[in-house]
Structure formats: structure tokens, C-alpha cells
Amino acid sequence: MEKNFDTMVADFKDYIKRIKQYNDALGIIFWDLRTGAPKKGASDRAEVIGMLSTEMFRLATSDEMAKYIDYFTMSEQNEKLDNIMKVLVNESKREYDKFKKIPEAKYKEYVILTSEAETIWEEAKNTNNFALFSPYLERIVNFNIEFIDIWGYKDNKYNTLLDYYEPGMTVDKLDKIFGELRAKIVPLVASIKASEFQPDDSIFTKDFDVKKQEEFSIYILEKMGYDFEAGRLDESEHPFTIGITPGDVRITTHYYPNLFSSALFSSIHEGGHALYEQNISNNLNGTTLCTGTSMGIHESQSRFWENLVGRSYSFWKCYYQELLSIFPEQFEGIAVEEFYKAINKVEASLIRVEADELTYNLHVMIRYEIEKALINQQIKVADLPEIWNKKMEEYLGVVPPNDAKGVLQDVHWSGGSFGYFPSYTLGNIYSAQFCNAIRKEMPDFDEMIGRGEMLKIKEWLSEKIHKYGKLLTPAEILMDVTGEEINPEYLVEYLESKYKAIYNLK
Ligand code: CO
């Protein structure tokens, strides 16, 4: 007997919920692996990841799923669907089409490979041994190329990967946006380098008790509105956020006893990601739409808090006293103006995650160009250390002394995340556009931060962006909030006015 429409809707939602629950379980395992799971258990755990991913893959590509998709895409049924169901069906179809094409055994092999590769990468980085990681990376690249050939691509193989993280983004568009940005940032960095004034950031390299650093991170996160009853802060090699459900969004940071600024700004950054995940509307919970709409929009939230708020003068006018009470000796005699300039010091450096907000974009461009060339088979994995060092010299004028501080520094490639890096700079661009929109509605934005009214800003972001989860596309959100398409001019304006003031430039 044919099921009626309402039963089909209810059954489909249950089915989607099962997929989401496998994803939740995987999220917790990944979190555990990175926050202190015993090393000797890693390969057994990789098998569990393989099993759960395979089950998830089966559900997303089953005949049952095909039946639901067929049923709900028929115009007669489709017209009756509410908006959430419509988007959910489209999203499920996108995943179905994407994964149905890849043979199950191959997918499983890939998942196990990337899980192992992450552990190997960590060892390779710690022992400065690219040769250890190289064969894994080569297999991961080859898998990706194979997948792109299966999925198909338009104009450039790399477009398929870009579209995965940022729907609608292409190499053509990105080359143009990055080109415009590069043309403004490179001369600005040069005039900063030539400036007579240089902030003194040696104040951050004293002894900073790790427990106290954690205390201050928690203090700021609470002020931002991060809900500790729906999250927690731990330590990992590479800071990250994992949103299981809005009620369980975990963040990590990495403490350096002799470098104060690193852990704090990582905490604020991950806190920005976490606010997004914690404030997705309840009616998306239990669906695959209950996550950020794209990596670029996600990154816009973390960058917004880390840079436009956390590195602003107003922010420190408000919170510097609290910091002084936690580290009175370390910051003795240092005025807030001096502190503000020190956290905004611009200097070409080796490590992306430690880079200032200006040169950061150049680090991203290097990775983008390398990925584009790898995926289009224009360069070889074995040559990466040399290519990396050359590009560092060309873009930033610095050469890594070893691969640990060079090509091995980032976790992303070990997980097969090609096409992800551009999201960081897209996030910077979006964040400046969003900030411009907030300032139109709240002209006293700076004063509000100065008064510690960050919750109002969080609420604005939640209302305009967070609550929609994946219900709207990145382009729709950007258009709804700012009335414009992606436009790097706002980021350029923000960077120029901020850094010209700090460095006394004309
Ligand atoms: Co981030």
C-alpha cells in the first residue's frame, strides 16, 4: 500500500536523523583523537571511523534514499513541502549524486587513509620528516583527482573541490578576487615594513602561566556569549571547533607558556565558529542542515570575532584591566595603546596560524596556488618542500629553516581537505562586509564594544546569519545581510584605515 504524504515526510525526517546521528558519533571520535586519545589506539579507532563512515555513506546513497528523493522531487509532492523540507531534499540529492558515483570500497579506503594520515602527519611534523608523510599525501592527492574525474568538472578540476566548501566559487572568480586583494596588500605590507614605527611584541614572550591563560580565554568566551553549558574548551595540537549539535559545540586552543597572544586569539577565533553552531535554529536540529552554510561563511564568523572585534582598540579599552589583574607583572607599565599596537604587529612570518591579519592572506594564496597545481597535476608531491620554500620567499620574503615550519605546518592536507584554504581569505572578505552592514544599523558599534556589549553583536549575527544554518546559500546570506555580492573592497578599506593609523602612514 502506498504511504501517504505525511507518513513519507515523517519517515524521511527519521531517516535523515539517523544519518546526522552517525555524523555526531564521528564528530566525537574525531574530537577525542585530537584531544588526548592514546596514540596506540589510533589504528583501531581508524577502523571504527571507517565502519561508521561506511554506514553513513550507505544511508546517504541507498535505494531507500533514492526513493525518497524521487518521491519528493515530483512536482505534485514538492509543492506541498515546507521550506526546510525542500532544502533538505535538495541537499540530500546533492550528497546522493556526489557519493553514489564513488564505489563504496573506494570511499572506505579513502576514509581510513585520511584518518591514519592525520596521525602520521603529526609525527612527521614533530620529527621534521616530510618523507614520512609524503607517500600518504601522494595517495590522498591521487584519490582526489580520481574523485574529480568521477564527479566531473567545469573549466578547471579544482573548481569541483572549491564548490564543495564554497558553493558557487570558481578558480576564475577567486583569481580575480585574490588578485585585487594582493594588489592592495603587498604595497601596504611594504610601507609598513619601511615605517619608522614598529610595535614591540616582545611583551608577549614572557612567562605566561597556562592555567591563567585558560582562565582569561574562558572569561572572554563568556563575554562573547559562548555557552559553556553547550560546549567546552580543551587543548589540541591545532585549534579547532566541532559542532555536534547546537547543545554540544566544543572548541580547542593551544597554549604556549612563552607566547601569550596565540592561545587567546585562537580561543576567540574558535569561539566565533562555535557561536555560529550554537545558535542555529532549533527547527533544524536533527537534520543535515544544522551546520554552517559554507566554510567561507563559517570563517567569516571566526575572523569577525578574532580580528574585527578581538584586535580592535575598543575591545582592549574594555578588557585590558581584566587582563592586567590576571598578569600584573607581565604587563606592568604597558599602556593599552601600546598593547593594542603590539597585538596588531605586521610582520612576514613562517607560520600561517601565527600570521597577522594582513600577511595571513598571502599565506592562503600560497596554499591556493599549490593546491590548484597539485590537482591539475602540474607539480609533484615530492617537490612540495622546495616549491613551498620558493613561494614563501617570493610572497613573504622569508624561507622556512625546515619542513616542520614549512610545508608540514598545516593539518588540512592529511585529512584530504583540498579547496578549503581559500575559505580563510573569503572569510576575511565576508567578515568586513558583514561588519559594514552592522555599522549601518549600529553606528555606535565601536562604543558598544568599548562598553562590553558584545552580546548585542552576537544576537545580531545570530539573527541575520547563525539561525539559518544551511537553509540559505552563502550568496543568499551575503545578499540578504549586505545587499551585495562578494566584494573585497570593504576588507581593503578596513585594513588600510586600521594599519595606516597604527603605523603612522599617509
Ligand atoms: Co577557523
Side-chain angles (χ1 to χ4, degrees):
M1 198 183 82
E2 267 299 288
K3 286 182 193 170
N4 72 31
F5 177 79
D6 291 339
T7 314
M8 281 296 273
V9 169
D11 288 354
F12 178 65
K13 282 185 173 169
D14 277 349
Y15 193 85
I16 291 292
K17 196 170 182 180
R18 262 163 70 203
I19 295 178
K20 179 67 173 60
Q21 285 169 338
Y22 275 109
N23 199 40
D24 295 353
L26 281 165
I28 292 169
I29 293 176
F30 280 121
W31 172 82
D32 181 56
L33 275 176
R34 293 196 205 169
T35 52
K39 194 173 146 187
K40 288 184 178 173
S43 65
D44 288 333
R45 202 68 71 86
E47 278 187 40
V48 177
I49 290 171
M51 182 274 289
L52 288 173
S53 305
T54 305
E55 285 308 307
M56 210 171 99
F57 179 81
R58 272 196 192 128
L59 287 173
T61 57
S62 68
D63 293 343
E64 198 177 346
M65 177 60 97
K67 263 184 220 159
Y68 284 125
I69 292 170
D70 285 347
Y71 178 80
F72 288 121
T73 46
M74 281 188 298
S75 62
E76 186 193 338
Q77 322 298 347
N78 200 266
E79 279 164 15
K80 288 190 275 180
L81 295 176
D82 64 22
N83 191 34
I84 292 176
M85 271 294 290
K86 270 187 191 154
V87 179
L88 200 50
V89 168
N90 283 343
E91 179 67 17
S92 303
K93 186 175 186 309
R94 206 172 85 107
E95 291 285 300
Y96 179 88
D97 290 344
K98 183 173 154 63
F99 288 120
K100 191 64 187 173
K101 293 179 179 173
I102 296 173
E104 196 176 311
K106 193 166 277 300
Y107 180 73
K108 191 175 174 184
E109 200 188 331
Y110 180 68
V111 171
I112 292 173
L113 169 68
T114 50
S115 172
E116 279 173 2
E118 194 170 322
T119 312
I120 297 287
W121 161 78
E122 204 169 321
E123 198 181 331
K125 188 186 165 190
N126 289 337
T127 56
N128 185 32
N129 184 359
F130 182 74
L132 180 68
F133 180 54
S134 180
Y136 285 83
L137 184 56
E138 207 170 300
R139 287 180 61 203
I140 292 170
V141 170
N142 288 337
F143 262 109
N144 272 277
I145 293 168
E146 209 180 322
F147 291 164
I148 293 167
D149 285 337
I150 294 172
W151 290 323
Y153 64 93
K154 208 172 163 258
D155 301 327
N156 190 307
K157 288 193 178 189
Y158 192 67
N159 280 344
T160 302
L161 301 179
L162 272 180
D163 189 73
Y164 182 66
Y165 295 105
E166 202 62 17
M169 193 47 65
T170 63
V171 165
D172 275 357
K173 285 187 200 170
L174 213 47
D175 283 348
K176 187 172 170 287
I177 294 165
F178 280 8
E180 279 175 50
L181 208 51
R182 192 165 39 218
K184 299 284 184 168
I185 288 179
V186 171
L188 184 56
V189 172
S191 51
I192 285 171
K193 198 176 174 187
S195 164
E196 276 178 21
F197 171 75
Q198 295 296 330
D200 175 16
D201 64 351
S202 67
I203 56 173
F204 301 136
T205 57
K206 297 172 183 170
D207 284 337
F208 290 94
D209 180 77
V210 162
K211 270 274 152 233
K212 287 184 176 175
Q213 288 195 49
E214 186 187 24
E215 187 189 321
F216 191 67
S217 277
I218 291 171
Y219 171 82
I220 293 296
L221 285 164
E222 280 175 342
K223 295 285 176 194
M224 287 165 61
Y226 175 74
D227 181 358
F228 274 93
E229 286 182 14
R232 49 182 291 152
L233 172 65
D234 292 273
E235 187 168 16
S236 65
E237 177 64 26
H238 194 95
F240 67 93
T241 301
I242 197 142
I244 315 287
T245 57
D248 186 352
V249 183
R250 306 173 187 199
I251 59 176
T252 68
T253 190
H254 189 96
Y255 300 104
Y256 296 89
N258 299 106
L259 186 63
F260 162 77
S261 44
S262 178
L264 174 66
F265 288 105
S266 291
S267 297
I268 299 176
H269 177 100
E270 301 307 331
H273 281 303
L275 288 182
Y276 194 174
E277 295 278 333
Q278 282 186 338
N279 291 288
I280 295 172
S281 173
N282 244 335
N283 54 14
L284 296 178
N285 197 5
T287 76
T288 42
L289 304 180
C290 193
T291 186
T293 188
S294 73
M295 292 305 154
I297 298 289
H298 230 305
E299 205 55 29
S300 78
Q301 299 307 293
S302 57
R303 302 275 149 170
F304 177 87
W305 287 100
E306 180 190 353
N307 294 327
L308 290 112
V309 176
R311 290 183 205 273
S312 71
Y313 182 67
S314 310
F315 180 89
W316 287 104
K317 223 174 76 188
C318 182
Y319 298 111
Y320 192 54
Q321 274 309 317
E322 180 66 24
L323 183 66
L324 284 179
S325 74
I326 294 178
F327 293 113
E329 286 163 31
Q330 288 83 345
F331 295 120
E332 197 189 348
I334 292 159
V336 61
E337 289 79 8
E338 201 181 328
F339 179 90
Y340 163 71
K341 288 176 181 176
I343 56 161
N344 285 296
K345 185 179 169 73
V346 170
E347 193 172 41
S349 61
L350 298 172
I351 309 296
R352 175 184 60 86
V353 294
E354 301 294 342
D356 56 81
E357 59 179 330
L358 255 185
T359 58
Y360 193 98
N361 298 301
L362 300 175
H363 286 267
V364 169
M365 288 172 200
I366 288 172
R367 287 154 181 77
Y368 165 62
E369 282 168 22
I370 288 178
E371 288 189 354
K372 212 167 52 167
L374 270 179
I375 296 299
N376 287 295
Q377 289 165 292
Q378 292 153 343
I379 56 173
K380 291 196 177 79
V381 167
D383 299 331
L384 278 188
E386 197 192 325
I387 293 167
W388 183 282
N389 294 353
K390 239 189 216 162
K391 285 207 179 279
M392 284 297 287
E393 182 158 29
E394 190 188 327
Y395 279 68
L396 289 146
V398 288
V399 181
N402 56 51
D403 292 337
K405 289 184 172 162
V407 68
L408 284 172
Q409 66 181 269
D410 291 310
V411 65
H412 305 58
W413 291 342
S414 73
S417 303
F418 293 95
Y420 185 104
F421 279 116
S423 312
Y424 293 124
T425 289
L426 291 173
N428 283 335
I429 295 169
Y430 294 148
S431 71
Q433 289 188 258
F434 290 143
C435 196
N436 187 65
I438 295 183
R439 283 172 186 281
K440 275 187 199 159
E441 281 182 41
M442 303 177 183
D444 64 339
F445 177 78
D446 295 316
E447 291 78 12
M448 281 170 58
I449 293 174
R451 292 192 297 264
E453 293 169 9
M454 292 200 289
L455 290 181
K456 284 186 192 162
I457 293 161
K458 184 210 105 180
E459 277 160 24
W460 191 93
L461 293 167
S462 294
E463 185 57 32
K464 303 268 181 179
I465 300 163
H466 302 162
K467 74 172 185 188
Y468 294 105
K470 230 177 173 171
L471 205 52
L472 300 176
T473 65
E476 282 169 343
I477 288 193
L478 199 60
M479 187 55 83
D480 287 355
V481 177
T482 71
E484 269 188 82
E485 289 178 7
I486 185 165
N487 182 352
E489 273 172 38
Y490 295 98
L491 179 63
V492 169
E493 255 169 51
Y494 155 74
L495 292 172
E496 283 185 341
S497 86
K498 176 175 177 178
Y499 287 98
K500 281 179 179 175
I502 292 176
Y503 282 89
N504 309 318
L505 307 173
K506 276 183 204 147

